[in-house]
Amino acid sequence: METFLIKALQLILSLSILVIVHEFGHFIFARIYKVRVEKFYLFFNPWFSLFKFKPKNSETEYGIGWLPLGGYVKIAGMIDESMDKEQLAQPEQEWEFRSKPAGQRLMIMIAGVLFNFILALFIYSMITFTWGESYLPLKNAKAGLSFSETAHKAGFEDGDIPIKADGKELTTLSGDMIRNIAEAKNVEVIRNGKTETITMPDEFMLKLIGANEKFASFRNPVVVKEAIKGNGAIEAGLQSGDSLTAINGKAIPDIPIMLDLLNQNKGKNVNITFYRDGQEQNASVAVDKNGKIGISLTPIYEIYPLVTKHFGFWESFPVGISKGFSTLKSYVSDLKYIFTKEGANSLGGFGTIGSIFPPVWNWQAFWEMTAFLSIILAFMNILPIPALDGGHVLFLLYEVIARRKPNEKFMEYAQITGMALLFGLLIYANGNDLFRFIFKEPYIQK
């Protein structure tokens, strides 16, 4: 329950930041062009609001709605989600959106997307400045990777270290690496000290998506960080730094394998093989009823050397901007998979998004996810779909080219259609989440 609350809180805070920044973009450009903004809301407020206030001498009501599906600014004289037909039936006023030149209206509409994208670039830059760039090179992970069942079927074996995809060098386990491998014809790996070549099957990425699997993860060798008093490990003499290699003669090259073997031996004694100061030793260790022996484990980044680059304040901006554009490019590239059966089934809503946040509060991970979601929000909003900013931009471009405004009735029907499509997609995506929850399927992970 605590994990759920931490993830939910991170999701709500992240989306709140993104919505406020997005709507502030519309708000500030509307005010620049002297267009009246009647409401500025975080979340939607059908029937009632959780909180609202209107400063003295202000034209704008600020508030928080109860339906956490986004937010909005109500711009006077504009066909939007409010469907305020009464105002549109009145003569145009100089402070209304519809009375302004097409160029000004276009800037007001793209400002939200622009602010979200700029926010993402800024966050990536500040992450770079604060924490630098740290990654685990594949060549440093001597135990290699553990692969999914789909990767096994393609020819990968646990312990392999991928080094090249169609001749392109692979540096670390990342989304870009997985894309390179999925789109390659041949992948070179180090296996038992030798170079092997794997011929990749067609549509490998679709197979991964369809199986709802990650491609691989780093193998984390089992190294004792601390033995806890009153448990089997310390009674058997295990110490910090001991490297466990086998349980009852079965190799444990990765933590999940060790945990599985311990769960199979609850309430029993097991023979553990380990190395201490380069010498192989054995010990009989009691496993408790929960499948634990009483040790904390050394995380992989303390076992293998990470590569970390640090940047000055101004140096961080080119790196952050490059990261933002690279993220956008990768996201757009992955969209082609949505238009497949496997991709459609993998769509998720708030549950999927929330599951990507870490189970403990981590500011670096939080800001990385917020920047990533800001990129997604910017791109999705610029799509030429009525009810999205991109739909309004599309009609404005038509007006510029045709030199006449689209019919207001047509705009009204288009807005209704767009909203219906978006709500349908929202219901479908969150329905997928519910289905996965009921049938205990794992969420797709970034």
Side-chain angles (χ1 to χ4, degrees):
M1 186 62 180
E2 182 181 355
T3 296
F4 171 81
L5 291 175
I6 291 173
K7 285 176 175 279
L9 183 58
Q10 290 179 92
L11 174 63
I12 292 170
L13 178 58
S14 178
L15 293 181
S16 296
I17 292 170
L18 300 184
V19 168
I20 289 171
V21 169
H22 181 92
E23 300 305 336
F24 181 73
H26 293 310
F27 174 85
I28 196 65
F29 270 79
R31 300 308 298 132
I32 288 172
Y33 295 125
K34 300 187 182 340
V35 175
R36 183 174 296 174
V37 180
E38 298 173 350
K39 292 184 179 182
F40 188 131
Y41 264 74
L42 172 64
F43 306 149
F44 292 102
N45 62 322
W47 304 298
F48 68 93
S49 305
L50 296 179
F51 169 78
K52 63 181 179 180
F53 77 102
K54 188 173 184 179
K56 187 177 181 181
N57 300 324
S58 174
E59 300 167 341
T60 307
E61 175 184 296
Y62 301 89
I64 300 176
W66 60 270
L67 188 60
L69 297 180
Y72 70 98
V73 287
K74 187 176 185 304
I75 298 175
M78 175 182 168
I79 298 176
D80 58 11
E81 297 89 343
S82 67
M83 301 304 293
D84 189 349
K85 300 178 185 178
E86 291 184 13
Q87 186 180 71
L88 295 174
Q90 303 300 317
E92 285 188 11
Q93 303 295 327
E94 62 177 8
W95 39 262
E96 287 186 326
F97 177 82
R98 56 181 170 166
S99 70
K100 300 300 178 180
Q104 293 184 8
R105 284 180 280 138
L106 184 63
M107 286 304 301
I108 292 171
M109 291 318 306
I110 67 173
V113 167
L114 183 63
F115 271 47
N116 273 134
F117 191 63
I118 291 174
L119 174 66
L121 300 184
F122 179 75
I123 291 174
Y124 279 132
S125 299
M126 291 301 95
I127 290 172
T128 301
F129 172 66
T130 305
W131 291 285
E133 281 190 329
S134 294
Y135 65 94
L136 174 57
L138 288 166
K139 63 183 180 181
N140 288 0
K142 304 302 183 184
L145 306 181
S146 290
F147 295 90
S148 66
E149 184 62 30
T150 301
H152 284 151
K153 291 177 181 178
F156 292 93
E157 295 182 7
D158 291 338
D160 285 352
I161 303 174
I163 54 173
K164 291 183 180 179
D166 281 347
K168 183 176 181 180
E169 187 175 353
L170 304 173
T171 56
T172 190
L173 182 58
S174 65
D176 286 339
M177 182 201 103
I178 296 169
R179 291 183 193 92
N180 289 333
I181 287 176
E183 296 170 2
K185 293 182 179 179
N186 297 291
V187 175
E188 293 180 34
V189 302
I190 300 296
R191 180 180 297 164
N192 299 322
K194 298 180 180 180
T195 300
E196 302 282 349
T197 299
I198 297 172
T199 301
M200 294 299 296
D202 294 334
E203 299 183 337
F204 177 71
M205 185 65 84
L206 286 180
K207 292 174 181 177
L208 267 182
I209 294 172
N212 206 6
E213 293 176 345
K214 292 196 299 181
F215 169 65
S217 59
F218 282 111
R219 275 182 159 184
N220 195 332
V222 184
V223 179
V224 178
K225 188 175 181 70
E226 181 184 5
I228 302 168
K229 291 183 179 180
N231 291 274
I234 202 164
E235 292 174 1
L238 292 182
Q239 300 176 9
S240 175
D242 288 348
S243 180
L244 313 189
T245 58
I247 293 177
N248 290 341
K250 296 181 180 179
I252 49 173
D254 199 2
I255 289 175
I257 297 174
M258 178 201 71
L259 296 177
D260 184 54
L261 286 173
L262 291 178
N263 278 324
Q264 293 175 26
N265 290 276
K266 293 178 180 178
K268 302 178 183 177
N269 275 39
V270 294
N271 182 63
I272 289 184
T273 303
F274 62 96
Y275 278 82
R276 179 184 296 165
D277 299 327
Q279 299 295 316
E280 184 179 272
Q281 300 185 39
N282 291 276
S284 178
V285 183
V287 183
D288 68 19
K289 63 180 181 181
N290 297 312
K292 309 293 183 184
I293 59 174
I295 56 174
S296 61
L297 299 171
T298 306
I300 193 169
Y301 57 81
E302 292 183 13
I303 298 174
Y304 298 133
L306 298 178
V307 171
T308 301
K309 297 179 181 178
H310 294 286
F311 301 87
F313 181 77
W314 296 113
E315 291 176 316
S316 66
F317 283 94
V319 178
I321 291 169
S322 176
K323 174 68 173 175
F325 278 97
S326 175
T327 301
L328 176 62
K329 179 182 176 182
S330 297
Y331 179 72
V332 173
S333 174
D334 288 347
L335 276 182
K336 61 179 177 284
Y337 299 115
I338 294 298
F339 303 101
T340 65
K341 179 182 177 182
E342 296 86 353
N345 288 336
S346 74
L347 278 175
F350 295 114
T352 297
I353 298 171
S355 72
I356 300 174
F357 285 93
V360 294
W361 197 280
N362 181 300
W363 279 113
Q364 182 178 358
F366 170 81
W367 287 118
E368 285 176 346
M369 272 306 304
T370 300
F372 177 66
L373 292 176
S374 196
I375 294 280
I376 293 177
L377 182 61
F379 179 79
M380 295 302 293
N381 257 290
I382 204 62
L383 292 176
I385 299 173
L388 293 178
D389 294 343
H392 292 286
V393 170
L394 179 66
F395 294 137
L396 282 167
L397 291 176
Y398 167 83
E399 180 182 338
V400 170
I401 295 170
R403 300 189 178 221
R404 62 188 179 89
K405 293 182 179 181
N407 180 274
E408 286 193 359
K409 273 293 181 185
F410 170 79
M411 294 277 285
E412 180 184 325
Y413 291 139
Q415 185 78 8
I416 294 171
T417 301
M419 289 172 65
L421 286 171
L422 293 175
F423 274 111
L425 180 61
L426 188 67
I427 292 169
Y428 176 79
N430 285 283
N432 276 350
D433 282 350
L434 183 61
F435 179 86
R436 283 190 281 262
F437 176 77
I438 293 173
F439 292 97
K440 305 300 182 183
E441 293 184 12
Y443 287 114
I444 292 288
Q445 297 197 26
K446 176 180 170 241

